[in-house]
Every structure is written in C-alpha cells, then in structure tokens.
Amino acid sequence: MSPAARAPFTVLWLQSGGCGGCTMSLLCAEAPDLAATLASANIRFLWHPTLSEETGDEAIALFEAVRAGEIRLDALCIQGALLRGPNGTGRFHTLAGTDTATIEWARRLAAVAEHVVAVGTCAAYGGVTAAGVNPADACGLQYDGRRPGGALGAAFRSRSGLPVVNVAGCPTHPNWVTETLMLLASDLLRAEDLDSYGRPRFYADHLVHHG
C-alpha cells in the first residue's frame, strides 16, 4: 500500500522544560525540508507548539479528543525535561490554559499513544535542565539521568510494546528525528533497534571518532 493510501501517521508534540532548540534544529532540515519530508512519509502533526495555529481552548479540545480515543495518536513527541517540582506536584510547569501540570498531560497522552518519543537529551534523560542542584526536580520521560525511572517509570511501554524512544542530542539533528518518525510510521523500529539507553541505533551506534 502506498503512503498516500494509508491513514496519516499522527504526531502530537509537547514542549516541557527546555530551550526549544530541538524544534529550531528540526526546522533547519533541508534537501528535502521538513514539510516535504513529513508529506513524503504521510506523517501529520496533530499539534506542535511552534508550528500549529490552534491555541488555548482549541488545543485543549484536541488533547481531550486524543485522550478519549476520538483521534488516533501514533506518536507522542516530548521536547524538554519533565518538571516534577515542587514536592512532586509538577506545578512548576502547568500547561497553558489548564490547571494541570505538563508532566501529568504527558502521562495521560502517553497512555493512549502508539509510540512515545523523547526528542532531545532533556526529554530523554533530564539534560541541562536537570543539571546542578536541579531545583525543578527535572527528569527525562523514562530516565532520571543514567537511571531508569523518570516521569513515566522504568516499566512503561507504549501501546506498541516499545519503551520510550530516546532521540537524544543537544540539540538533535533533524534527520535523527524525521528518520525515527519515518521508521515508526513504517513499522520498522523494533526493541532490538534501540541501544541500552533507548536510543535508535541507526544513529547512536555511530560515534564521533568513527568519522
């Protein structure tokens, strides 16, 4: 079946505690550019905090429809560390327009997503946001630094059976993100294709000194 004949592979992208650099890097994709790459793979962003027109009530209504199963969610992408503080409430970062912590939205949406992707080192492991004394109690989606755990817990598996797919990098290379989404959309990414830290091996196995 051609990509055009299939239902679009849907992506919802949330921004948590971070600088937004991974989105900036993603927008630098070229030959082809981001829009052409997504279109060629039949990948459709349901919502992205930078790229989407929907804000406020419109965006929240979309999130609720996804939670209710009215809109299929193939991939939940999270950019930025998840903030657990203060005192485990997550109230250092509530989702705009709601009274609910962003970390709680991440958990709710992860529960219905076919795949969950951490975009960047902050979302994967806590990154710069979790450095030093870490007053925000920041962590990654499935790791707290090098330790399994994080916002979703070490045992988390998405509906596909995969753990969080950690597209680590600070920032990520745009191709790492788009190629990961394309592999997931084509059902070509398996647990054995991830390394011991949940990173896709197609890029993580190639170290700087190999060049």
Side-chain angles (χ1 to χ4, degrees):
M1 184 182 295
S2 68
R6 298 196 308 263
F9 183 87
T10 57
V11 177
L12 195 156
W13 187 297
L14 289 183
Q15 166 81 41
S16 191
C19 67
C22 291
T23 285
M24 294 176 68
S25 175
L26 187 65
L27 293 173
C28 291
E30 56 184 17
D33 61 22
L34 177 62
T37 299
L38 297 179
S40 71
N42 201 22
I43 296 171
R44 180 168 72 90
F45 277 13
L46 295 173
W47 193 80
H48 186 290
T50 303
L51 306 178
S52 297
E53 295 180 359
E54 298 87 353
T55 59
D57 290 344
E58 292 175 316
I60 301 307
L62 172 64
F63 297 172
E64 293 290 5
V66 169
R67 282 190 63 204
E70 298 166 9
I71 299 175
R72 176 181 172 84
L73 178 56
D74 290 306
L76 172 66
C77 291
I78 304 286
Q79 172 182 324
L82 286 303
L83 309 186
R84 295 174 292 195
N87 302 317
T89 66
R91 306 277 310 164
F92 278 147
H93 186 200
T94 59
L95 189 70
T98 76
D99 194 39
T100 304
T102 300
I103 190 171
E104 181 58 29
W105 276 103
R107 289 167 175 154
R108 293 175 181 179
L109 293 168
V112 299
E114 188 70 14
H115 307 284
V116 177
V117 180
V119 181
T121 297
C122 288
Y125 311 115
V128 172
T129 313
V133 297
N134 192 9
D137 197 14
C139 64
L141 275 169
Q142 201 163 18
Y143 279 84
D144 191 351
R146 291 175 176 267
R147 300 183 302 275
L152 299 180
F156 171 82
R157 296 295 182 270
S158 67
R159 292 166 68 99
S160 69
L162 288 177
V164 174
V165 178
N166 291 319
V167 187
C170 188
T172 51
H173 191 289
N175 289 357
W176 301 346
V177 179
T178 55
E179 289 180 26
T180 296
L181 291 176
M182 291 167 74
L183 287 170
L184 292 173
S186 301
D187 196 26
L188 293 176
L189 194 68
R190 302 282 187 265
E192 57 267 28
D193 299 317
L194 305 177
D195 72 5
S196 58
Y197 288 105
R199 299 172 298 187
R201 298 186 64 175
F202 77 82
Y203 86 89
D205 281 357
H206 297 277
L207 307 179
V208 171
H209 67 264
H210 291 160

